[in-house]
Amino acid sequence: MSTDMTSVATIGKWSSFSGGVLTTASALSLIFDYSSTFGVDFFCWGLLPFAYLLMTTSSSHVIKAQNSNITEAFYADVAASLSIIYACYECAVYYLQLTYLKKVKDPIAISLIADEPGSPIFAIDLFGYFVLSLSTIFVALSLGINQKHKFLKVLLYFHGLVGSTCIVV
């Protein structure tokens, strides 16, 4: 692997690691109710789309550099494209929630922006997660038939199938 691809792979590894840390910190903040006190969950959720975006785009570059299989490279590109869409949706949701909810005192406007089932923001948020689940399916497809990635592929397919239920909700 060339020096450029090594640095791209390093970015992908660190973004994967930071995504895991952000997800764990977000879950712990919800479990121990740090979200209302410190806003840890919004901080983590605001950075998580960028970590996922970096991970999928760097993996797309590495897969294309290492592999001559055109279908795996195509799947990696589709996963990266879907991660861009996911990041746009999620960042829009979090931006609206963090900026608009602090300024507005009208209960009707708050009900439209609040992340509660039935609100437009909730629907946009779920659609973003649906796009994320599609992206994880394409990441799994881009890994090919390599046996050392078997468990990772199972987890990615599971996340993709479970996350696909977001479109039903």
Side-chain angles (χ1 to χ4, degrees):
M1 190 175 340
S2 69
T3 315
D4 293 338
M5 281 300 115
T6 304
S7 60
V8 170
T10 304
I11 290 171
K13 288 175 187 174
W14 280 107
S15 63
S16 299
F17 176 74
S18 64
V21 168
L22 289 169
T23 303
T24 304
S26 174
L28 290 175
S29 74
L30 291 175
I31 290 170
F32 296 113
D33 199 25
Y34 290 138
S35 58
S36 60
T37 309
F38 302 112
V40 174
D41 55 346
F42 276 116
F43 176 76
C44 293
W45 293 336
L47 291 179
L48 195 56
F50 296 110
Y52 186 71
L53 179 65
L54 280 173
M55 182 190 69
T56 55
T57 53
S58 62
S59 68
S60 173
H61 285 294
V62 170
I63 286 170
K64 286 192 284 188
Q66 288 180 344
N67 223 338
S68 61
N69 190 342
I70 191 85
T71 56
E72 291 175 10
F74 172 74
Y75 291 145
D77 284 342
V78 171
S81 301
L82 288 171
S83 71
I84 293 169
I85 296 169
Y86 158 72
C88 291
Y89 273 103
E90 296 308 308
C91 288
V93 166
Y94 300 139
Y95 175 78
L96 284 173
Q97 288 179 338
L98 288 173
T99 58
Y100 194 70
L101 278 178
K102 289 183 178 181
K103 297 177 184 176
V104 174
K105 303 297 183 210
D106 183 23
I108 295 172
I110 290 175
S111 69
L112 291 174
I113 301 294
D115 198 12
E116 297 171 353
S119 71
I121 288 295
F122 188 75
I124 292 170
D125 199 20
L126 279 183
F127 185 73
Y129 287 120
F130 171 71
V131 173
L132 170 71
S133 68
L134 286 178
S135 178
T136 58
I137 290 173
F138 281 103
V139 168
L141 289 170
S142 72
L143 293 177
I145 310 174
N146 195 340
Q147 286 297 325
K148 70 179 184 178
H149 296 133
K150 189 174 183 178
F151 183 67
L152 175 62
K153 286 178 67 168
V154 168
L155 289 176
L156 288 169
Y157 282 130
F158 178 74
H159 178 267
L161 293 175
V162 169
S164 296
T165 60
C166 291
I167 201 72
V168 176
V169 175

